Amino acid sequence: SMIDDGFEHDHTIAVVDFMCEESSRFGAATLGSKAMRGKLTLNDLHRLVDTQGITLYDVLKGRNLNPDAIESMAYKRPVKAFIEIHIEQGKVLEHEQKQIGIVSGIAGPERFYLTIRGNADHSGATPMNLRHDALCGASKIILGIEEIAAMQEEPPVVGTVGIVEVTPGAMNVIPGVVKLGVDIRSISEVARNSVVTLIKEFIDVTAEKRGLSYTIEPVAQDHPVVMNPAMIREIEEAVKSVGVDYMTMPSGAGHDAMHWADDVPTGMIFIPCREGISHNPAEFADMDDIVTGAKILDTVLRKLSLESTKLN
């Protein structure tokens, strides 16, 4: 619409589509924006592997890219503002019947793999008192993570075990090794760190009590970020000019905006998604909500692209 009505702007407007925003393949999210901001290291490229054991380094090489130069790839040009539009990935807007969410901050996840080792003995020949069942220990730990995270109410922390891999995975063999994928996140880094400490202590005690050993392999540790107050105001003014119901809210999901917020005035617009479903073929956003979000983005971009608009 800016082209159609001949809108003249003073600042370049760049549209960026980041790769690997989701963490489904390598366990770490927002890889494209990390790379653009110079936050992805050569070590990361070798460290991050998919379920087939293929490293991110190999994947980039296979696409005729130059992963060895990753640390010199940061975007160097000055940026006046960064704004992102996204579905909420939750049910809050839908429940509150608001068409727009203005994001106040983004929770930062800490993720690690926990491998618990016991003895893969025969299920029939090993009495209950002589077992070192890695899965029973893992089950205790999974429920412990839920309980410890739930105890931290203000500011809230959420804890999830989304991966459970059991070896050898036979009905007549006591599970000898279990690998868990653990995700702990919060808007507050202090609250998150305290929960992670409690969880690691709980893992240690549980393993010792059951005669199990374990290793912890860090995957990611992203800082929670706060959106820029001036950007929040600009989005709020745009929403009011369009005339829709809105609310200010934190984002529990991570986004590319996290990696700009430290150095660049950053804001985020949420639109509702049906039943909060995302990362799934059933993900759905209503066209009216998409259009409303686009109108607000357009309004904000027009204002920010003028030299006269100062963010302070």
Side-chain angles (χ1 to χ4, degrees), residues 7-24:
F7 178 74
E8 291 186 14
H9 45 87
D10 302 320
H11 296 286
T12 302
I13 297 170
V15 178
V16 186
D17 184 10
F18 293 108
M19 294 285 282
C20 278
E21 190 263 358
E22 293 182 17
S23 56
S24 45

Side-chain angles (χ1 to χ4, degrees), residues 103-115:
V103 177
S104 55
I106 302 173
E110 175 159 348
R111 290 179 177 160
F112 57 87
Y113 288 117
L114 168 65
T115 304

Side-chain angles (χ1 to χ4, degrees), residues 242-293:
V242 172
V244 293
D245 280 346
Y246 73 96
M247 63 186 288
T248 304
M249 62 191 298
S251 170
H255 295 284
D256 293 300
M258 297 167 76
H259 305 296
W260 297 84
D262 286 349
D263 305 311
V264 174
T266 298
M268 269 199 87
I269 300 163
F270 271 171
I271 63 167
C273 55
R274 189 165 62 199
E275 293 174 18
I277 296 168
S278 71
H279 300 193
N280 184 301
E283 180 183 302
F284 177 83
D286 191 273
M287 187 51 77
D288 286 351
D289 294 332
I290 295 169
V291 169
T292 301

Side-chain angles (χ1 to χ4, degrees), residues 31-80:
L31 295 176
S33 46
K34 278 179 183 154
M36 193 171 176
R37 300 292 290 144
K39 293 181 181 179
L40 200 61
T41 66
L42 196 53
N43 181 41
D44 291 331
L45 301 188
H46 288 294
R47 181 176 62 85
L48 295 167
V49 295
D50 67 10
T51 52
Q52 259 60 60
I54 303 166
T55 65
L56 179 53
Y57 182 92
D58 292 336
V59 170
L60 294 173
K61 264 272 199 248
R63 294 189 182 183
N64 297 320
L65 295 167
N66 180 15
D68 290 301
I70 188 71
E71 289 173 33
S72 59
M73 290 296 173
Y75 187 73
K76 298 288 197 303
R77 293 177 65 184
V79 178
K80 180 181 180 179

Side-chain angles (χ1 to χ4, degrees), residues 2-312:
M2 288 182 186
I3 294 167
D4 293 344
D5 60 20
F7 178 74
E8 291 186 14
H9 45 87
D10 302 320
H11 296 286
T12 302
I13 297 170
V15 178
V16 186
D17 184 10
F18 293 108
M19 294 285 282
C20 278
E21 190 263 358
E22 293 182 17
S23 56
S24 45
R25 183 167 182 186
F26 296 101
T30 59
L31 295 176
S33 46
K34 278 179 183 154
M36 193 171 176
R37 300 292 290 144
K39 293 181 181 179
L40 200 61
T41 66
L42 196 53
N43 181 41
D44 291 331
L45 301 188
H46 288 294
R47 181 176 62 85
L48 295 167
V49 295
D50 67 10
T51 52
Q52 259 60 60
I54 303 166
T55 65
L56 179 53
Y57 182 92
D58 292 336
V59 170
L60 294 173
K61 264 272 199 248
R63 294 189 182 183
N64 297 320
L65 295 167
N66 180 15
D68 290 301
I70 188 71
E71 289 173 33
S72 59
M73 290 296 173
Y75 187 73
K76 298 288 197 303
R77 293 177 65 184
V79 178
K80 180 181 180 179
F82 179 94
I83 186 162
E84 181 173 355
I85 184 167
H86 208 282
I87 58 165
E88 181 202 340
Q89 296 178 270
K91 304 176 183 180
V92 177
L93 289 174
E94 192 176 54
H95 182 261
E96 299 288 337
Q97 296 188 310
K98 306 285 187 190
Q99 262 190 292
I100 291 290
I102 302 175
V103 177
S104 55
I106 302 173
E110 175 159 348
R111 290 179 177 160
F112 57 87
Y113 288 117
L114 168 65
T115 304
I116 302 154
R117 292 180 179 85
N119 292 337
D121 297 316
H122 191 284
S123 68
T126 315
M128 297 308 283
N129 65 327
L130 296 181
R131 293 177 177 223
H132 299 283
D133 186 322
L135 183 56
C136 286
S139 304
K140 266 276 198 231
I141 288 163
I142 292 167
L143 291 172
I145 289 170
E146 179 188 49
E147 208 170 306
I148 292 164
M151 279 162 54
Q152 173 60 45
E153 288 181 347
E154 205 44 61
V157 172
V158 292
T160 309
V161 176
I163 296 171
V164 180
E165 293 171 0
V166 182
T167 307
M171 205 179 278
N172 64 340
V173 181
I174 295 162
V177 180
V178 175
K179 186 177 183 180
L180 303 180
V182 183
D183 177 310
I184 315 293
R185 59 178 86 190
S186 176
I187 289 284
S188 159
E189 193 154 9
V190 173
R192 183 191 74 189
N193 290 351
S194 114
V195 164
V196 168
T197 302
L198 288 171
I199 285 169
K200 287 182 177 174
E201 284 170 6
F202 181 74
I203 291 166
D204 197 60
V205 169
T206 306
E208 192 175 343
K209 200 183 286 183
R210 292 172 163 266
L212 306 167
S213 65
Y214 69 91
T215 50
I216 289 174
E217 177 196 341
V219 176
Q221 193 178 39
D222 292 332
H223 297 291
V225 297
V226 175
M227 295 293 100
N228 180 279
M231 287 290 282
I232 290 173
R233 279 197 306 276
E234 290 295 345
I235 298 168
E236 205 164 9
E237 280 179 29
V239 174
K240 285 174 179 169
S241 75
V242 172
V244 293
D245 280 346
Y246 73 96
M247 63 186 288
T248 304
M249 62 191 298
S251 170
H255 295 284
D256 293 300
M258 297 167 76
H259 305 296
W260 297 84
D262 286 349
D263 305 311
V264 174
T266 298
M268 269 199 87
I269 300 163
F270 271 171
I271 63 167
C273 55
R274 189 165 62 199
E275 293 174 18
I277 296 168
S278 71
H279 300 193
N280 184 301
E283 180 183 302
F284 177 83
D286 191 273
M287 187 51 77
D288 286 351
D289 294 332
I290 295 169
V291 169
T292 301
K295 275 185 192 163
I296 289 155
L297 181 62
D298 179 69
T299 306
V300 175
L301 285 177
R302 284 171 187 255
K303 191 158 174 210
L304 293 176
S305 68
L306 301 176
E307 195 67 61
S308 56
T309 305
K310 304 293 178 202
L311 290 167
N312 45 31

